[in-house]
Amino acid sequence: MSECPDLNYRSADLHIVIIGAGLGGLCLAQGLQRRGISFDVYERDTAPDSRPQGFRIKIDQTGQQAIEACLPPALNALFRDSCAIPVDGVNLIGPDLEPVSDRWVASWQRAGGDDAPVGRVEDLNADRLAMRKVLLRGIEAHVHLGRGFTGYERNESGNAWRAKFDDGSTAEADVLVAADGVNSTLRALRLPGVAPVDTGSTCIYGKTLFTAATAAQIAPLFLARTSVAFADRFAVIVDPMKFRQPLGDYLYWGVIGPNDRLNPASDPRGHAHATVLSHTAGWHPGFRALFEGAEPSDVAMLPIRTMNAPPAWTSDGVTVLGDAIHVMSPAGGLGANTALHDAAMLAERLGTAAIKGTPVLAAVADYEAAMRDFAREAIRQSNDGAALLFGAVAAPASETAGLAKS
């Protein structure tokens, strides 16, 4: 993309276009609305629940602070109330439910207990779809579903970006934000030298509904605490999700490991459940029942991709956040929280520019520098978590070294 002759525009009548209505994009939208900055969000999906989005998502102190900074107090309270009731402690176990020690990841926050770090806020377990619906509250008129982003250009006068969509429509913006996830179309156009790398690992996630039958068959230790189980070169994470609101209680579980161990099928939607059952044959019956009690339609398989620390680029008012620029292994539990942190930082920088009347491009550049620094550490911690869980190796730095300045 060619640069505009003068990008040091100021914030009068500032308008932001966000591509992607995931958690990061919606959190940014809420932060902009709270600061009185005009915005629109464009999302290719036709409904918030039109495709599998995952189930449990862990919101750590960083994510909670970001949400609090972006949401009005009443909406933040609604979000917190929609999260699962906190559990007390973590089980570190093996396939036969035997205790395991010395396998702790620094970025994991122990749920309660005397060994929780002093000054740390306890993690929240949110249901991803319920959280997304909270983030949509109050901004529905500015979120345009079923509008797939296809490209962008400068407008005729050269003072704004024009986003183009698959229905032939366009939208102009002073700042254009890629929040469209790991397969970001906007990032691919803006930063063609940056792309996610397949780690050679897989995550299979699912949920098992709480029923009288499942409660009788599943080992009791899974019903009251978070559990992390270490098997032969793969791991399982289990969280009980019991809600104050009528969202439907369930046990969330995720299996994570290298492809040469899990042997993921070529048809992940059709075989994800069977893959888990085949790799847990012979496990303790109370553990095995957790997977047997899941509906195959509630199990999904995804490749694990990552990026190294985002390299620098020349700021031009088209920027990025979340998985679009720093996707990372879920082993550290930091990906979504880093996206929320991005959203809060960008909203704060743009809000400051709006109040002070300072150049918006400078605000975007400041955000990008801070985002890169924060993401670098989050990616490192996520790689450390993956290595501890199943011996994964991060992608080499050369994979993202060819960034084209634009």
Side-chain angles (χ1 to χ4, degrees):
M1 287 288 174
S2 60
E3 294 185 27
C4 174
D6 180 12
L7 290 170
N8 287 314
Y9 44 76
R10 294 179 183 268
S11 55
D13 302 319
L14 180 64
H15 184 70
I16 314 299
V17 163
I18 302 165
I19 305 300
L23 302 183
L26 293 176
C27 188
L28 172 60
Q30 289 284 354
L32 295 174
Q33 174 160 276
R34 194 172 184 187
R35 290 164 174 82
I37 297 174
S38 174
F39 69 92
D40 281 287
V41 182
Y42 295 87
E43 166 60 50
R44 67 177 180 176
D45 290 344
T46 57
D49 58 353
S50 61
R51 59 188 172 89
Q53 298 286 323
F55 304 112
R56 189 274 281 142
I57 184 168
K58 194 170 289 291
I59 307 300
D60 65 13
Q61 181 172 348
T62 295
Q64 292 176 51
Q65 290 172 341
I67 292 169
E68 184 178 11
C70 290
L71 269 60
L75 201 54
N76 182 47
L78 179 62
F79 159 70
R80 298 184 71 86
D81 191 55
S82 73
C83 292
I85 298 169
V87 296
D88 183 19
V90 179
N91 303 307
L92 298 182
I93 57 175
D96 288 323
L97 308 185
E98 72 278 14
V100 173
S101 60
D102 301 324
R103 297 292 294 270
W104 193 255
V105 176
S107 62
W108 298 344
Q109 166 66 16
R110 292 185 186 271
D114 295 335
D115 54 354
V118 176
R120 271 293 291 184
V121 173
E122 185 177 352
D123 289 351
L124 297 175
N125 283 337
D127 179 85
R128 184 180 287 268
L129 181 58
M131 180 177 176
R132 198 178 185 196
K133 289 180 177 178
V134 170
L135 290 174
L136 279 164
R137 289 275 189 110
I139 61 171
E140 295 91 341
H142 302 281
V143 178
H144 311 281
L145 301 176
R147 303 278 291 277
F149 172 81
T150 59
Y152 73 102
E153 62 189 7
R154 297 302 299 186
N155 67 2
E156 287 78 3
S157 59
N159 62 357
W161 295 108
R162 177 184 292 132
K164 298 185 285 187
F165 302 96
D166 55 8
D167 61 357
S169 64
T170 62
E172 293 195 358
D174 299 298
V175 178
L176 184 59
V177 183
D180 46 345
V182 61
N183 297 312
S184 173
T185 300
L186 178 49
R187 182 210 61 237
L189 295 172
R190 174 65 182 87
L191 303 170
V194 176
V197 177
D198 193 322
T199 65
S201 302
T202 293
C203 181
I204 305 172
Y205 60 88
K207 70 176 181 180
T208 303
L209 299 179
F210 273 114
T211 66
T214 58
Q217 296 172 357
I218 295 171
L221 65 83
F222 292 120
L223 305 179
R225 307 180 82 188
T226 295
S227 299
V228 183
F230 299 92
D232 179 16
R233 294 181 58 230
F234 71 96
V236 180
I237 299 170
V238 184
D239 265 315
M241 301 289 287
K242 297 182 178 180
F243 300 96
R244 303 173 188 87
Q245 299 182 14
L247 298 175
D249 298 343
Y250 61 88
L251 282 161
Y252 163 84
W253 50 266
V255 178
I256 183 169
N259 293 343
D260 64 357
R261 180 67 180 87
L262 294 179
N263 300 314
S266 58
D267 178 15
R269 287 297 300 168
H271 294 87
H273 191 223
T275 297
V276 172
L277 293 178
S278 70
H279 284 286
T280 56
W283 285 27
H284 189 286
F287 206 152
R288 170 86 174 177
L290 173 69
F291 309 116
E292 292 175 335
E295 292 292 332
S297 59
D298 285 334
V299 184
M301 183 185 301
L302 291 174
I304 297 175
R305 287 177 282 183
T306 191
M307 292 180 179
N308 283 327
W313 58 82
T314 303
S315 299
D316 67 356
V318 179
T319 193
V320 284
L321 66 75
D323 282 356
I325 189 59
H326 48 60
V327 66
M328 60 193 76
S329 168
L334 298 176
N337 292 290
T338 307
L340 295 170
H341 185 264
D342 291 349
M345 283 200 300
L346 183 53
E348 188 275 330
R349 265 55 169 197
L350 293 173
T352 299
I355 291 171
K356 295 183 176 180
T358 53
V360 172
L361 182 59
V364 172
D366 183 55
Y367 154 74
E368 290 172 344
M371 176 270 292
R372 285 189 287 263
D373 288 342
F374 192 90
R376 184 178 299 111
E377 175 61 16
I379 291 169
R380 185 194 67 76
Q381 290 190 35
S382 293
N383 288 340
D384 288 349
L388 189 58
L389 281 178
F390 55 89
V393 178
S398 59
E399 296 284 357
T400 56
L403 176 62
K405 302 279 186 180
S406 56

